[in-house]
Amino acid sequence: MTTGLTSAEAAARLAADGPNDLPRPGTRGLPRIIIDVLKEPMLALLLGGGFVYLLLGERTDALVLVGFAGLSILITVVQEQRTERALAALRDLASPRALVIRDGQRQRIAGRDVVVGDVLVLGEGDRVPADGWLLQGDGLLVDESLLTGESLPVGKQAADSAPPAGPPGGDGLPQLYAGTLVVRGAGLAQISATGATTHMGQIGLMLATVDTEVPRLTLQTRRLVLWFAGFGLAASLAAVLLYGLLRGGWLQAVLAGIALGMAMLPEEFPVVLTVFMAMGAMRLSRQRVLVRRATAIESLGAATVLCADKTGTLTQNRMAVQSLWLPDAGLVEPMAHTDLAALGRLASPPHATDPMDIAFHTLTADLGAPPVAGDVLHLYPLAPGHPVMAQVWSSAQVAAKGAPEAIARLCRLDAAALARLEAAAEAMAAQGLRVLALAECASPDGPLPDALADLPLQFRALVGIADPLRADVPAAVRACQAAGVRVVMITGDYPETARAIAAQAGIAPLETLTGAELDTLDDAALSRRLAGVGVCARIQPRQKLRIVEALKAGGAVVTMTGDGVNDAPALKAAHIGIAMGGRGTDVAREASAIVLLNDDFGAIVTAMRLGRRIHDNLQKAMGFIMAVHIPIAGLALLPLLFGLPLLLGPVHIALLEMIIDPVSALAFEAEDAEADAMTRPPRAPDAPLFAPAQLAAALLEGAVILALVASFALMLWQAGVPEAAVRSAAFSALVAGLLVLMLVNRRLGSGMATLVGGAGRVLALVLAAVLGLLAATQFVPPLTTLLRFTPVSPALALAIVGGAVLAVLLLQILKRVMAAR
């Protein structure tokens, strides 16, 4: 009898090797995180803008910008903890309670106290706490899908000595792995590896070394802000020098420089980015999609390759009876044969834990079959070399199921019947089905024979069982392909099963890369090979990570979906990681950027459409921001050039910024997706956020508004209109130009219908708010005094409206010309 380790030996090994837990890597402290975040130019710009507002006495604006800076720090701190939470989830999964033999006695201990050399007692429903090998076993079946992606549990065969190390997966092997689940049978196992040296521990270490991909949008916005801030600083210094040298008033020169700098300061960029991502996350939450890293939504819209795990992602991660084959009728619908479904249930344990057995119980429940009458009197179990089990019931019936060739021998089929059975079984297996055979007979009146072969079993049917495809997958794959996104299946399952599921899903091409072939390719060759591959089969976790890295190296924007522990490193390394929230593991969820709470694969298409909508609207908002700063900066600079009194001071520009922020953040965010959002190919991965043509269009639009407003103001000066009235009229004309730019840029197309067509409640509210604020600046005495305005006369108001109409016509012509070019 096995006595196991002594308590002293176990304590010594625990002290030497450490607990059966994953090591906790060092993490950055809060001060280090804050210092690193402060190096970001976008955040520095926010704090710089807040400091400028504080110097000007604008405390509200200063607090708003500092608040956004604090939000950025908070988001980064949360992001820093994601890896730690993923590793914590992995530790919890790998360290369940364990029943071991020590000092000759069975003891229940914490999984983290298991040591190398422990003898482990395993039973149905136990989670294996560490890697080891089977010493003794009775029909032990283990679910290794968390590590392999294979739907079916695998049988374990006892060994006399420690076997060589190898990957999980495959029937008849003695190796056991941490985190896997015993679904049937019992046994004794000896522990050979704990903690970080286990197979799951290696995945945890791999996950700790994988860096989360920095979203391209963040990098692009960072470059844009740096360029804009540098240009604004240069213009501000030039304004100070110009004013000081020409007029001699250096204090006024500094104020003029601050005004121009504020006019050029693009603090709307981070505001717009934050609002767009937050609103996008809120919209997806209504679709039961949890966004854990907001910028991933926009990145998803740029995805060029969608790597999908098979088990639990494309499929339902449950076995179901898909087809029946009868000797006299061929293939038939399972739902039309309640008697055969009931026979399959009689051949399965009454309290099923094996997925194959559960499939028969589920089918009979779906058919409304009555409960099983009677009890099991005798069990003929599965045995090495005898892949058949049978149960003798008190109702005098014997029900058997097992491998087709084994059932055929027991039923003593003649050569012709055997040939038909083998051909049918091969055809069903080629479709990715797991094939079992059913047989039955009446139990004998006397004692039961010791061997099942001594019973007169009669062959009844072949049963095709598979992990069924999710109903929404084919439509989602077609939508991805229409949008120019290539779908690649990555699975640990066998190539035949993988290709069958891929064909059902509509994945093309069906060219298959196996894990064995992958190991023979270097990185460059792998990248080339993947260009023509639609299915990757028999893939290990480290290979999934390598596939993602190879696709990224080839210039693809990679989305990875998965639900198992084995998917976590690839989920984290991909540009966008998407985990299944219902059936998925904590480790997969923590390593991902997006979680599908309903396990709805079709929600990926919804998120992809939203990502493209966000990118389009973000470009519109950025174009609007660039365009609107041209007339603001121009009106701050032109008086310096022409020797006129300043039209816009810091307070006027601050007020304009209060208008620009909601317009750019709210009005553009609420715009619907363009009609071709999911029928055009993804944008190029290296495409800038703002292309030169789009930049030129924005600058020209801003120049048109500047020309109209500046001409209007100069005409008023030449006509002898008082300074306060000129300032008031120019400000009103500038706000009108701002609204014109908003309407012209809200849709990508040209034409008058795009100005207000499809306008929603948000746009109406923004228009009403801006016009209300403009009216307040004209008719509320404290505001008119602060801004040094006098109310605009009806004649000037009419001229402003006419100028706005002219601006619309000119900008529509400009859009048509730019589109044609």
Side-chain angles (χ1 to χ4, degrees), residues 229-246:
F231 183 74
L233 179 62
S236 181
L237 292 175
V240 172
L241 292 174
L242 183 64
Y243 194 105
L245 294 173
L246 294 179

Side-chain angles (χ1 to χ4, degrees), residues 132-135 137 139-144 150 152-161 163-164 167-177 382-387 434 494 538:
W133 52 283
L134 192 63
L135 291 170
L140 194 72
L141 281 180
V142 179
D143 179 0
E144 296 181 346
E150 294 182 30
L152 290 177
V154 293
K156 295 297 177 180
Q157 182 73 41
D160 296 329
S161 58
D171 266 315
L173 300 176
Q175 292 97 335
L176 295 166
Y177 299 93
L382 292 167
H386 185 67
R434 304 300 172 103
Y494 292 93
R538 303 303 288 167

Side-chain angles (χ1 to χ4, degrees), residues 368-722:
V372 176
D375 300 309
V376 176
L377 300 180
H378 184 73
L379 170 67
Y380 291 96
L382 292 167
H386 185 67
V388 176
M389 71 165 290
Q391 296 185 133
V392 182
W393 289 83
S394 57
S395 57
Q397 183 179 12
V398 179
K401 74 176 192 305
E405 65 277 8
I407 290 287
R409 286 195 302 270
L410 293 173
C411 295
R412 302 171 181 84
L413 297 182
D414 59 37
L418 179 60
R420 290 196 302 272
L421 180 147
E422 289 175 343
E426 289 176 4
M428 294 170 74
Q431 299 173 15
L433 300 174
R434 304 300 172 103
V435 185
L436 294 177
L438 296 179
E440 67 174 334
C441 68
S443 61
D445 294 333
L448 291 171
D450 294 333
L452 184 60
D454 294 331
L455 288 172
L457 290 172
Q458 298 295 313
F459 173 71
R460 291 296 307 277
L462 292 178
V463 183
I465 300 178
D467 185 2
L469 195 70
R470 293 181 183 275
D472 59 336
V473 166
V477 170
R478 287 194 300 272
C480 289
Q481 292 168 342
V485 179
R486 184 162 67 99
V487 181
V488 178
M489 175 195 290
I490 303 178
T491 178
D493 216 334
Y494 292 93
E496 295 79 10
T497 305
R499 277 194 294 268
I501 293 294
Q504 294 175 35
I507 294 174
L510 292 179
E511 177 69 22
T512 302
L513 171 70
T514 65
E517 180 188 355
L518 185 150
D519 281 338
T520 65
L521 302 174
D522 59 27
D523 291 343
L526 176 60
S527 185
R528 292 192 298 270
R529 179 77 172 89
L530 287 171
V533 167
V535 177
C536 299
R538 303 303 288 167
I539 300 297
Q540 298 296 322
R542 60 178 178 79
Q543 295 174 321
K544 286 188 178 185
L545 178 60
R546 195 173 165 216
I547 288 171
V548 169
E549 296 290 2
L551 288 169
K552 287 165 57 179
V557 177
V558 181
T559 298
M560 176 72 196
T561 68
D563 66 338
V565 173
N566 58 329
D567 300 319
L571 284 170
K572 189 177 179 184
H575 293 103
I576 314 103
I578 302 178
M580 298 293 159
R583 295 180 181 271
T585 60
D586 287 341
V587 182
R589 286 192 289 267
E590 294 294 339
S592 65
I594 296 174
V595 179
L596 307 182
L597 297 179
N598 283 349
D599 290 356
D600 180 6
F601 188 79
I604 296 175
V605 177
T606 301
M608 194 176 294
R609 180 186 297 275
L610 180 60
R612 295 192 175 193
R613 166 184 164 177
I614 286 176
H615 182 267
D616 287 346
N617 290 344
L618 194 58
Q619 281 193 325
K620 298 170 191 175
M622 294 295 191
F624 167 80
I625 291 171
M626 287 189 176
V628 82
H629 276 81
I630 300 300
I632 294 176
L635 290 182
L637 183 61
L638 286 178
L640 303 180
L641 299 176
F642 290 96
L644 301 173
L646 293 178
L647 285 176
L648 299 180
V651 65
H652 303 98
I653 296 174
L655 184 60
L656 286 169
E657 298 293 348
M658 290 177 62
I659 297 173
I660 295 171
D661 285 352
V663 169
S664 57
L666 299 179
F668 285 102
E669 191 283 329
E671 287 296 326
D672 290 333
E674 298 290 331
D676 66 342
M678 291 300 289
T679 56
R680 63 175 185 253
R683 66 183 185 275
D686 57 350
L689 178 63
F690 227 62
Q694 294 168 314
L695 177 61
L699 295 178
L700 287 173
E701 288 177 359
V704 168
I705 299 299
L706 174 60
L708 291 174
V709 176
S711 299
F712 181 56
L714 288 174
M715 288 172 57
L716 295 180
W717 278 118
Q718 292 172 355
V721 175

Side-chain angles (χ1 to χ4, degrees), residues 119-145:
V119 175
L120 187 67
V121 181
L122 292 174
E124 191 171 295
D126 286 344
R127 182 79 66 179
V128 180
D131 286 3
W133 52 283
L134 192 63
L135 291 170
Q136 303 172 21
D138 181 15
L140 194 72
L141 281 180
V142 179
D143 179 0
E144 296 181 346
S145 61

